[in-house]
Amino acid sequence: MHDIIEQLQERSETVPVPLELPTFEQLVEVEEQILISLPRELKEYLLYASDVIYGAIEPVTASDPYSHTYLPEVTCYAWSIGMPREMIAICQQGDAFYCIDQDGQVHFWKNGGFTDIYWESFWEWVEEIWLKIKY
């Protein structure tokens, strides 16, 4: 995990208004808003690397409720179009979503169903998807 976070931070783009990392209290607020506990690896990402801006992938964030990547908003939208309620969105791609289950596996939900592809962990998804898709 630490190596992946380091890779993300090295690749992070400089932007005029940088993202901020959330506090632990903000993560508790996010969990209260969606009424589901966040899996451990998602919490780690949010606390230590959700300020990274890299490539075309925009994973969820938890510090700014007005951001288009704010986890509760992204997840609630995904639920409103049919994504199962036990899943938490981690990245929106149009009306398709990468989402994480309570066991920490990441799935791709699109057109009302899951694809056959999944990743065993959030960090595996970061390595195989986010770090490999530049634009």
Side-chain angles (χ1 to χ4, degrees):
M1 168 196 83
H2 297 291
D3 292 342
I4 299 169
I5 290 174
E6 191 174 299
Q7 286 179 53
L8 285 169
Q9 290 170 338
E10 287 172 2
R11 296 178 187 196
S12 187
E13 300 166 18
T14 303
V15 295
V17 181
L19 298 172
E20 292 182 16
L21 293 173
T23 62
F24 183 77
E25 290 76 21
Q26 286 173 311
L27 292 189
V28 171
E29 288 174 20
V30 163
E31 290 177 323
E32 288 173 352
Q33 288 178 36
I34 63 171
L35 303 173
I36 298 178
S37 296
L38 301 175
R40 181 183 50 81
E41 290 184 348
L42 180 57
K43 283 182 185 178
E44 291 169 347
Y45 157 73
L46 290 167
L47 288 168
Y48 304 113
S50 63
D51 61 341
V52 170
I53 296 175
Y54 173 71
I57 301 285
E58 291 185 285
V60 293
T61 58
S63 63
D64 181 1
Y66 300 103
S67 172
H68 68 285
T69 57
Y70 188 55
L71 188 150
E73 295 297 321
V74 175
T75 297
C76 288
Y77 174 69
W79 291 339
S80 77
I81 62 169
M83 188 180 80
R85 182 73 171 76
E86 65 273 7
M87 304 301 282
I88 299 170
I90 60 168
C91 185
Q92 181 174 358
Q93 300 282 286
D95 277 344
F97 296 84
Y98 291 99
C99 52
I100 193 165
D101 62 27
Q102 288 299 298
D103 294 327
Q105 289 185 337
V106 175
H107 306 267
F108 189 62
W109 186 84
K110 175 180 175 178
N111 299 324
F114 292 102
T115 63
D116 292 337
I117 301 167
Y118 70 93
W119 298 265
E120 286 294 331
S121 72
F122 180 84
W123 297 115
E124 183 180 308
W125 173 81
V126 169
E127 282 186 300
E128 293 184 13
I129 300 298
W130 191 12
L131 287 172
K132 292 198 175 159
I133 298 176
K134 175 71 174 154
Y135 293 100

